Amino acid sequence: MAPIRKLLIANRGEIASRIIATARRMDIATVAIYSDSDADAPYVKEADEAVALAGNAPSQTYLRDDLIIAAALRTGCDAIHPGYGFLSENAPFASACAKAGLIFVGPAPNVIASMGSKILAKELMAAAGVPVLSGITIADDEELKSDIGDEAGRTVGYPLLVKAAFGGGGRGMRAVNNPDELIHAIASARREAESAFGNGTVFLEHYVESPRHIEVQIFADTHGNAVHLFERECSIQRRYQKIIEEAPSMAVTDDLRAELGAAAVKAAQAIGYVGAGTVEFVMGTDGKFFFLEVNTRLQVEHPVTEAITGLDLVALQLSVAEGIALPPAVLNASIRGWAIEARLYAEDVTAGFLPSSGTLVKFEIPTFAGLRVDSGVAEGSKVDIHYDPMLAKVIAYGSTRDEARRLLARALSKAKIHGVISNRDLLVAILREDDFAGGAIDTGYLVRHNPIELIASTHSPEIIAIHCLAASLADQATRRRDAKVQISLPSGWRNVQNGPQRQRWAIGNQELEVSYRFGRNGLQAQVDDSSFGEIVLFCASATQVDLAIAGVRHRIEIHRVGQTCYVDSALGTCALVEVPRFPEPDSRDAPGSLLAPMPGVVLRVLAAIGQEVPAGAPIVVLEAMKMEHTVRAPAAGTIQALHIKSGQAVDVGFVLAVMEGGQ
Amino acid sequence: MPVLKSTIDPSSETYLQNRRDQLAAVAALDEQLEAVRAGGGPKYAQRHHNRGRLLARERVELLIDQDSPFLELSALAAWGSEFAVGASILTGIGIVEGVECVIIAHDPTLRGGAMNPISLKKNLRALEIARCNRLPVINLVESGGADLPTQSELFVPAGRLFHDLTALSAMGIATIALVFGNSTAGGAYVPGMCDYAVLVDRHAKVFLGGPPLVKMATGEDADDEALGGAEMHSRVSGLSDYFALDELDCIRIGRQIISDLHWRKLGPPPSPKVDPPLYDPEELLGIASGDFRIPMDPKDVIARVVDGSRFDEYKALYGTSLITGWAWIHGYPVGILANARGVLFGDEAKKATEFILLANQSDTSLIFLQNTTGYMVGTTYEQDGIIKDGAKMINAVANSTVPHITINIGASFGAGNYGMSGRAFDPRFMFAWTNAKLAVMGAQQLAGVLSIVARQGAEAAGRDFDLEADATRTLAIKEQIERESHAFYITSRLYDDGVIDPRDTRTVLGIALSAAHSNQVQGRQGFGVFRM
């Protein structure tokens, strides 16, 4: 028994807040650490104390085991909770904690190390009798054989996955469908693995068709107890990143649950596991499952397990770390109800899930009974490019899956997320989609259901048109309110009708023109060429527009921040950007400018000033949120200017380079 | 302040008949305004667009603040003349960057925006409005210059344009030329005389003589860019202060120039609390008869024009054929004079005189609602000194220095037109309702007077009086006068600043008052108020 009195949380964002909340209930004092850009983050204020780590890059801050241990010692902590990500599965860090006399909330360093190598983990699991998929390992410095494509076909079978051997989160992972693509995929996975994890070793693994991602929560204490807390299904993924998770899984029968659970517990026992962990499986349509990996930490999606078991997994982690045996509630846990979690990300679905950054000028998620929000941000938070763009997890609990699904869909649809582009519409669309509602899901769900088509329903032209009109009417009200002269005179009055008032809005790549006129016969308006018909305007202010269109009344809320108008109504939500009536001459980019398609960090500059490049030549490689993006020459030409250097952070729309000439 | 009670019966036959007549008059107005709006017509508009240029009205719409009101002036200038209705030029009061400005835009779809004698009159009137109300002037220039076939009527008075532009500048009233196209010969002096000139790249052409004229004059082969392009004037001659990339850029710069003026109005601001009338202005159509001979109660009009329908009547029991009193319109305090039963008697003239003097004491603008057939005639009235009384009123009107805004809501005949601050008495603005008539006297009376004079002439000469010929002549004269007293005829000659839909009265007055308050609002000082 080593009671924890003060705990340092070696993490940030929502998980830091989540851990602090439990620690507070257990009368454990908390110490947060924070980077420069996190100085004002909610979790820093929630912690009892906080220690600054200078810089922003994870390598300067949340990955600095030395600074973190020093902070823990300086503040008199007796334990460190690593959360997920960062140092949570870093064996040397766990060892260093032990060396410094600090409890590391997690399994022993050797367990972390053995699970950290996916190859080793798989061998261990296979030896313990857990089903695994066969694969090929390609070491860091290994020359690629010219027939590797064929060999992989024989031993692994296409389609296959190329994965970084060290690291996780889908980073460096690539799907390969035929031998021709393999060498290129290995090279790029190696490069990414090298830059991300310092080790370019990759392995090839068979790709299960229509696979479901099923994982089992395990828990073990220092008294020899090892249990599973049932499964979670995390099949809704984009780019190998989970976005909707649930517990239990519709694909798992009681028998299968027992089988999966037994395999997971066997896996835990095989490696002498202590604490919370997750054994991930891939499961085919036939119900056959294969071991993927063990995550030796708390999972992002742990709240769904908490919801259906009524347990606090963080509290259990801390108890186990204190040396207390798992209580009967855990040993005899059972499933009650259903829970679904959705991960709200700051990302642009229509732009291929590019991360978006900005300031959250409004962040409101309804507080419905049965709803849990684990949020790392608050109104006013800056979302930047340094860290994972997850804003919050929203978890709905109900007695049935359908109840949880409907609650979550409504809560998300009513959320106000202004200032950054989020994946909210996609989450809502999935939750309301028939296949999802019926449980017909697998990790290919978002390949079959094109995300852009999914969100199209929430962005129908009719809804956008109404929202554009509402935004213009609100703007109109603001302009009249703020008029310096003739303030009480009728809006846009003319004795000779010149033409309607016009305002242009951009939404995505689309531009729309609203035209409207207040006349003796009321308001007449149209968007582009389509008229609204009869409109009755009950009220228009800077923040609210209440109007009836063709007899149907809508109350629309408007939130204007700079050039952007956030429009929320029962129909949905839009972020409209006003197109200025007069382009500022200096905002006109020099022709041939190459703009950053998203915020990110310049990884490599592949061209030089004066260099002639063909069309499509890579000019700059940007890295943003686990992805490399290559900016290419739109046409052949000469590089006139390069405004960037390697390692530089750039915002979306930044002029990276200027090209001239050639076609 | 007391609130007016207005009791009209919207279901009465009179109301309904009035409304039908007024709607017909408004429809006739709208029809003419439609022709004004069309300018040179769709073909020329399309050709203009195809050249990458905006129409005059599109330029104005972009120039003025979004959702701000725009009061177009003299819209029916040149109505019924040999020239296009509107006179190929658009003038009005618009708000740019929160500043009320006089905007003058050539319509290049009408003979290249060439100026005819009526365009000139309209342009000069706009400059006069700018001068007396202290409003910055923005010229949207694209004009081929003078309409040469009419040069004899145009050339001499047109110099006044340049005179007035520079006179405005001398008064500290900013003048701006945004040059979108040709601005040649005389027109070249518009950017030349303005405080600021902005020229649009490759579109603006500002020179005294174009390539053909230069060739004729000196034999020089010159291209128009070198003679007067935006680039040349921006880099070489310095005539252009700002080089605009395109039309939008030019309008943007024009707005920026106004913003940089840091313009402050000199008159007091309106009251922040403005409440609409208690009665619907729509009902004005049912109140005013189509026939000026049928009187209306001006209080029914005032109740649909002033803030909260509040009206503090002055001398309610004296000279009751003229209503006077204090009210507010869009937050501006005003004194209102309105004819009640057409005729002005001695008491009415004296009441008006005192009221005008009082308004000058309290620096309060005056609104004249004309519906008058003139000063009373007859032995009794002449002997009572109606001429002296009328002269008092005209004296007071002429020498009053507070802003006057006059609206002919029915009739404006005889010296009543003068006493009720007609055109010759320089009201800041003057408008007429669609049904209004204006002449020295009514058509019937005028024809009758001529008939009597002719009969007396025949009798004196001992000639037989041809009754049949007299009837024909009288009818012809009556028709002529009727035509000439029509609101369109009056406005086409710039005798007022526009014909308005009666329902817009409050709005037009609100804009006019706000514009007038750009200048000082100060009454005539010196004598006290004479008790008449």
Side-chain angles (χ1 to χ4, degrees), chain A residues 298-352:
Chain A
L298 195 67
Q299 293 281 80
V300 176
E301 58 273 20
H302 74 276
V304 291
T305 299
E306 296 186 322
I308 61 159
T309 60
L311 299 169
D312 179 336
L313 298 192
V314 173
L316 291 173
Q317 278 189 305
L318 294 170
S319 299
V320 167
E322 288 181 321
I324 297 169
L326 288 171
V330 174
L331 302 177
N332 307 317
S334 62
I335 299 175
R336 241 185 99 170
W338 210 286
I340 307 179
E341 171 182 283
R343 297 193 194 182
L344 265 179
Y345 278 99
E347 63 184 16
D348 186 347
V349 174
T350 56

Side-chain angles (χ1 to χ4, degrees), chain B residues 151-383:
Chain B
Q151 67 83 27
S152 67
E153 284 176 76
L154 186 65
F155 171 61
V156 172
R160 194 74 200 174
L161 277 185
F162 313 140
H163 171 277
D164 285 0
L165 279 173
T166 193
L168 283 169
S169 183
M171 295 169 74
I173 300 174
T175 52
I176 296 158
L178 306 180
V179 186
F180 296 98
N182 283 327
S183 176
T184 52
Y189 284 102
V190 173
M193 301 312 300
C194 283
D195 296 350
Y196 296 89
V198 187
L199 270 59
V200 175
D201 189 22
R202 291 179 200 284
H203 287 191
K205 299 279 182 286
V206 185
F207 36 59
L208 295 183
L213 195 146
V214 170
K215 179 75 180 169
M216 287 301 294
T218 67
E220 183 193 349
D221 285 312
D223 78 83
D224 54 4
E225 273 294 322
L227 282 173
E231 178 113 23
M232 186 285 283
H233 279 307
S234 299
R235 292 184 193 280
V236 184
S237 79
L239 173 72
S240 164
D241 306 305
Y242 294 87
F243 175 79
L245 297 172
D246 53 28
E247 291 213 9
L248 275 182
D249 199 34
C250 183
I251 294 168
R252 180 189 63 80
I253 294 166
R255 290 175 54 80
Q256 185 60 47
I257 290 168
I258 294 289
S259 169
D260 292 338
L261 296 177
H262 310 298
W263 193 254
R264 280 179 57 232
K265 295 173 74 165
L266 299 182
S271 154
K273 189 182 148 289
V274 173
D275 48 349
L278 300 181
Y279 302 94
D280 188 353
E282 186 70 31
E283 292 168 349
L284 288 170
L285 295 184
I287 289 167
S289 167
D291 182 351
F292 70 86
R293 287 168 303 188
I294 300 171
M296 64 177 135
D297 183 351
K299 286 191 209 165
D300 285 336
V301 175
I302 294 167
R304 284 159 184 82
V305 168
V306 302
D307 294 359
S309 302
R310 288 182 300 274
F311 185 65
D312 181 22
E313 192 173 355
Y314 168 80
K315 272 191 158 68
L317 305 178
Y318 181 82
T320 53
S321 189
L322 179 80
I323 303 285
T324 53
W326 311 106
W328 297 75
I329 297 176
H330 281 288
Y332 292 102
V334 292
I336 298 176
L337 298 94
N339 304 106
R341 281 184 303 280
V343 186
L344 290 161
F345 300 91
D347 285 354
E348 280 70 12
K350 287 183 280 188
K351 174 176 168 179
T353 306
E354 285 187 5
F355 189 69
I356 291 165
L357 293 176
L358 288 171
N360 275 269
Q361 291 287 100
S362 62
D363 302 333
T364 304
S365 301
L366 287 170
I367 310 294
F368 294 83
L369 299 180
Q370 296 183 333
N371 191 14
T372 177
T373 49
Y375 290 96
M376 194 63 195
V377 294
T379 319
T380 314
Y381 305 102
E382 298 291 1
Q383 289 180 358

Side-chain angles (χ1 to χ4, degrees), chain A residues 580 582-591 593 595 653 655, chain B residues 245 252:
Chain A
F582 306 102
E584 291 290 330
D586 54 4
S587 76
R588 299 180 189 185
D589 289 312
S593 297
L595 309 182
V655 179
Chain B
L245 297 172
R252 180 189 63 80

